[in-house]
Amino acid sequence: MPLGEPVGPSQSQWKISVDSVARVADYPVTFTATVSTDNIDDPAVQGVVQQMVDLLNASPDFVLRSAARTSTYAEQMTPTA
């Protein structure tokens, strides 16, 4: 069962999570952003997401918890002869 070359990434999901510095009853307020656009796998999306991550990280009002992209790759399998 030979496998072809990996194709991807595709079906990307970008998520950013920050906590507020301000506390409510001793707890931060957590914000989670899910990135969306018509073509989420366009390479230009990374630059825009990076701008948002940098903006939040530079803010004295928020603490960046995480920023990540998850995606999938596909490899076509062919029958052996």
Side-chain angles (χ1 to χ4, degrees):
M1 291 183 236
L3 291 175
E5 291 296 316
V7 177
S10 63
Q11 301 174 7
S12 296
Q13 295 179 348
W14 296 84
K15 293 193 178 184
I16 303 167
S17 180
V18 295
D19 282 341
S20 64
V21 171
R23 304 286 182 174
V24 175
D26 296 328
Y27 298 99
V29 177
T30 299
F31 295 87
T32 302
T34 302
V35 179
S36 64
T37 186
D38 285 343
N39 183 5
I40 197 71
D41 291 317
D42 188 303
V45 172
Q46 179 178 347
V48 177
V49 174
Q50 187 67 59
Q51 288 175 328
M52 183 62 149
V53 168
D54 293 345
L55 177 70
L56 291 167
N57 189 58
S59 172
D61 298 318
F62 297 99
V63 176
L64 183 66
R65 294 181 70 206
S66 65
R69 178 181 90 165
T70 58
S71 58
T72 60
Y73 283 83
E75 293 178 68
Q76 295 299 317
M77 181 178 272
T78 59
T80 55

